[in-house]
Amino acid sequence: MILSDTDILARLREGDLVIDPLDDVDQQVQPASVDLRLGSEFLEFQRTNIPCIHPTHEGEVSDYIAETVVPDGEEFILHPGDFVLGTTRERIEMPPDLVANVEGRSSLGRLAVVVHATAGFVDPGYRGQVTLELSNLGTAPVALTPGMRVSQLVFTELSSPADRPYGSDRGSKYQDQRGPQASRIGDDPEFES
């Protein structure tokens, strides 16, 4: 069951669902979702001379990713064909009986900006900011302003609370993340030597 605005507000009041800061409840809480704002930190993929990315070689990350922090009042220009990792300004805490889907806002989608490639799911028990996978599928650069509403979370109630929610007990590698996080696929158990 997808939560309505009534359900979302009740869960926020109860404190088991946390979205912080939630500066403008009237603007951010939609009929069946919550709009999240764009943070000021970005990880940009650089064009380099490496032959390919090896997902299991964490040390290569510094070879092809550069961090950019956009000062207050300035813009981040997302060029056609670019793929960058951004973050939400808000930090969320999910209770064990809810999941969330990260969706783009249609107003940005109509400008050919997408906010996630595949990582559009927030597990029960997750805590932290949400990393956004931003792409410009259009033909013109798009100016993104930190603080603008960029994505939305749609909450779904599980049939029962997760017995093993996302978190340190599971070795969840993105728990309590701050800012955009590069891939940590090399930490997956199937890649351990």
Side-chain angles (χ1 to χ4, degrees), residues 73-102:
E74 293 190 23
E75 300 171 329
F76 181 86
I77 306 300
L78 188 62
H79 293 276
D82 275 359
F83 175 81
V84 302
L85 298 177
T87 187
T88 60
R89 184 167 282 179
E90 293 82 7
R91 180 182 184 281
I92 63 171
E93 293 184 21
M94 296 290 293
D97 66 330
L98 290 182
V99 297
N101 287 84
V102 180

Side-chain angles (χ1 to χ4, degrees), residues 15 77 95 106 110 126 128 155 174 185:
I77 306 300
S106 66
R110 295 168 198 228
Y126 175 78
F155 299 95
Y174 301 108
I185 195 169

Side-chain angles (χ1 to χ4, degrees), residues 53-75:
I53 296 171
H54 297 92
T56 59
H57 295 101
E58 190 174 328
E60 287 184 358
V61 171
S62 61
D63 292 341
Y64 62 87
I65 291 183
E67 184 175 13
T68 299
V69 178
V70 177
D72 287 342
E74 293 190 23
E75 300 171 329

Side-chain angles (χ1 to χ4, degrees), residues 32-174:
S33 64
V34 176
D35 287 346
L36 299 182
R37 297 165 301 144
L38 184 63
S40 60
E41 299 163 298
F42 299 87
L43 293 179
E44 296 184 72
F45 288 76
Q46 307 297 306
R47 290 175 177 40
T48 67
N49 291 326
I50 62 172
C52 66
I53 296 171
H54 297 92
T56 59
H57 295 101
E58 190 174 328
E60 287 184 358
V61 171
S62 61
D63 292 341
Y64 62 87
I65 291 183
E67 184 175 13
T68 299
V69 178
V70 177
D72 287 342
E74 293 190 23
E75 300 171 329
F76 181 86
I77 306 300
L78 188 62
H79 293 276
D82 275 359
F83 175 81
V84 302
L85 298 177
T87 187
T88 60
R89 184 167 282 179
E90 293 82 7
R91 180 182 184 281
I92 63 171
E93 293 184 21
M94 296 290 293
D97 66 330
L98 290 182
V99 297
N101 287 84
V102 180
E103 302 293 344
R105 295 188 60 232
S106 66
S107 296
L108 282 174
R110 295 168 198 228
L111 298 174
V113 174
V114 295
V115 301
H116 73 82
T118 61
F121 191 78
V122 182
D123 283 301
Y126 175 78
R127 296 185 314 259
Q129 291 174 300
V130 177
T131 293
L132 302 171
E133 303 160 333
L134 300 163
S135 293
N136 180 347
L137 303 178
T139 57
V142 178
L144 302 176
T145 306
M148 69 185 290
R149 291 177 295 137
V150 69
S151 66
Q152 56 188 336
L153 289 182
V154 177
F155 299 95
T156 304
E157 191 171 39
L158 299 175
S159 59
S160 63
D163 188 43
R164 297 178 56 230
Y166 195 91
S168 57
D169 291 345
R170 296 185 58 89
S172 302
K173 55 193 171 206
Y174 301 108

